[in-house]
């Protein structure tokens, strides 16, 4: 009936069980199928992480190819807690099993569902209402703004909140900026105002984002990997971004926390979850 996880995956009308004789080993193909099935069931499921960046738009996909960005090993989705019952049924119907080591994790509470497919071992995280990592990204009223993936600004925020930024994360940021930069026709713009409204109230996240943007600038300046794209435009975007962050009026709470600075940890220490 529907090609959800690779080869034909059929839902039995009587039992609702999924039959997946040959699930795909391609996580992005599986993601597309999961998103299509979620949409058919009226579930607000959106892809984030590197998969969300790659599938966000044709310009992102093209830049990821030019940058030789590796496909994701697993998948991250955003959803609403009010739809958690439907989300659980979706994954169970399609042959996913709960990860017993984190199903009731006190660290993440009920805001995170983790699954593994019984046949191809594809691992999936579903974050409900928020992404709580080094900093917390809220999804309230955001999933309706775009189909399939988070918006470009939410994807960018999800990367800028990472304290221990990796080269892969940097490539995702470069992709998002490059795909939505000047001269790209028919692009979805990044809502910088939305990003700045968040950072102007939270010094900790502002500081992490500032450090990460400097890392991106240094990486673009020194890495041969980005020479396949208009990297100088990305450097200009990063510089402009930092300038807008600095000029944006800050809240009183931001200023108070800024006075304390990095003497006190400004991010949540997220332990690596068994995946």
């Amino acid at each position: 009936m529907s090609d959800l996880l690779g080869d034909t995956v059929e839902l039995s009308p009587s039992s609702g069980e999924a039959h997946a004789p040959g699930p795909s080993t391609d996580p992005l193909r599986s993601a597309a199928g999961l998103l299509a099935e979620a949409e058919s069931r009226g579930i607000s499921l959106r892809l984030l992480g590197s998969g969300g960046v790659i599938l966000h738009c044709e310009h992102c996909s093209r830049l990821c190819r030019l940058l030789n960005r590796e496909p994701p090993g697993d998948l991250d989705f955003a959803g609403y807690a009010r739809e958690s019952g439907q989300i659980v049924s979706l994954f169970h119907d399609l042959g996913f099993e709960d990860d017993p080591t984190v199903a009731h994790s006190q660290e993440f509470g009920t805001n995170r569902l983790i699954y593994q497919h019984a046949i191809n071992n594809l691992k999936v995280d579903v974050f409900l209402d928020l992404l709580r990592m080094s900093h917390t990204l809220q999804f309230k009223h955001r999933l309706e703004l775009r189909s399939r993936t988070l918006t470009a600004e939410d994807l960018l925020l999800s990367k800028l909140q990472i304290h221990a930024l990796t080269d892969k994360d940097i490539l995702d940021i470069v992709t998002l900026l490059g795909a939505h930069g000047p001269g790209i026709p028919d692009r979805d713009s990044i809502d910088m105002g939305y990003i700045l409204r968040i950072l102007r109230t939270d010094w900790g996240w502002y500081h992490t984002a500032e450090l990460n943007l400097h890392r991106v600038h240094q990486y673009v300046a020194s890495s041969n990997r980005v020479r396949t794209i208009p990297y100088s435009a990305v450097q200009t975007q990063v510089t402009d971004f930092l300038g807008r962050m600095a000029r944006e009026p800050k809240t009183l709470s931001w200023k108070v926390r800024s006075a304390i600075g990095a003497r006190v940890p400004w991010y949540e220490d997220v332990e690596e979850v068994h995946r």
Side-chain angles (χ1 to χ4, degrees):
M1 300 270 301
S2 55
D3 189 14
L4 298 178
L5 296 176
D7 295 340
T8 301
V9 178
E10 295 187 347
L11 296 180
S12 168
S14 57
S15 66
E17 294 180 352
H19 304 284
S24 174
T25 56
D26 179 1
L28 292 178
R29 187 178 179 193
S30 296
L34 283 164
L35 290 166
E37 181 64 15
E39 183 179 11
S40 74
R41 299 186 184 202
I43 302 172
S44 302
L45 198 67
R46 302 292 182 266
L47 191 62
L48 65 147
S50 60
V53 174
I54 294 170
L55 294 184
H56 179 262
C57 65
E58 63 176 287
H59 303 300
C60 283
S61 297
R62 177 177 175 273
L63 284 182
C64 284
R65 290 193 299 271
L66 291 173
L67 291 168
N68 196 26
R69 175 67 168 93
E70 299 87 347
D74 52 18
L75 299 174
D76 296 323
F77 291 94
Y80 286 135
R82 66 173 184 263
E83 297 176 350
S84 59
Q86 296 168 271
I87 293 171
V88 170
S89 295
L90 168 69
F91 282 96
H92 287 174
D93 288 348
L94 299 181
F96 286 87
E97 299 174 347
D98 299 324
D99 187 328
T101 63
V102 292
H104 303 290
S105 170
Q106 292 183 351
E107 178 186 357
F108 294 99
T110 58
N111 291 112
R112 188 177 190 182
L113 305 171
I114 303 183
Y115 298 102
Q116 184 167 340
H117 197 271
I119 296 178
N120 67 358
N121 295 321
L122 176 65
K123 295 180 181 179
V124 173
D125 286 67
V126 184
F127 298 93
L128 301 175
D129 291 345
L130 54 85
L131 174 70
R132 180 188 166 211
M133 290 293 177
S134 300
H135 303 278
T136 299
L137 176 62
Q138 300 284 345
F139 300 143
K140 187 176 181 181
H141 304 312
R142 299 293 300 174
L143 304 187
E144 295 84 357
L145 299 178
R146 186 178 179 84
S147 62
R148 300 212 311 166
T149 75
L150 292 183
T151 65
E153 57 269 18
D154 285 314
L155 287 171
L156 184 54
L157 280 168
S158 73
K159 293 296 178 179
L160 291 177
Q161 64 81 29
I162 299 172
H163 173 67
L165 202 68
T166 68
D167 285 356
K168 291 181 179 180
D169 296 317
I170 290 175
L171 288 175
D172 288 340
I173 294 173
V174 169
T175 296
L176 288 166
L177 293 176
H180 299 89
I184 305 297
D186 300 324
R187 67 186 183 276
D188 297 298
S189 62
I190 296 177
D191 187 348
M192 293 298 297
Y194 174 72
I195 295 176
L196 294 173
R197 287 193 296 275
I198 290 176
L199 300 183
R200 70 187 291 268
T201 66
D202 186 333
W203 179 85
W205 198 342
Y206 178 102
H207 187 53
T208 298
E210 184 179 38
L211 292 173
N212 284 340
L213 287 169
H214 282 296
R215 291 176 184 134
V216 171
H217 196 280
Q218 292 169 1
Y219 182 92
V220 172
S222 60
S223 174
N224 289 328
R225 191 168 185 175
V226 300
R227 296 301 181 265
T228 55
I229 68 169
Y231 61 92
S232 60
V234 174
Q235 287 180 301
T236 299
Q237 285 175 279
V238 171
T239 300
D240 291 345
F241 193 170
L242 287 166
R244 291 189 64 177
M245 286 172 57
R247 293 190 299 271
E248 183 73 12
K250 311 302 189 294
T251 63
L252 178 60
S253 61
W254 188 100
K255 294 175 182 177
V256 170
R257 182 61 185 85
S258 174
I260 300 172
R263 297 192 302 274
V264 175
W266 65 93
Y267 58 91
E268 290 195 65
D269 186 9
V270 181
E271 295 182 1
E272 185 67 25
V273 179
H274 172 69
R275 303 175 67 83

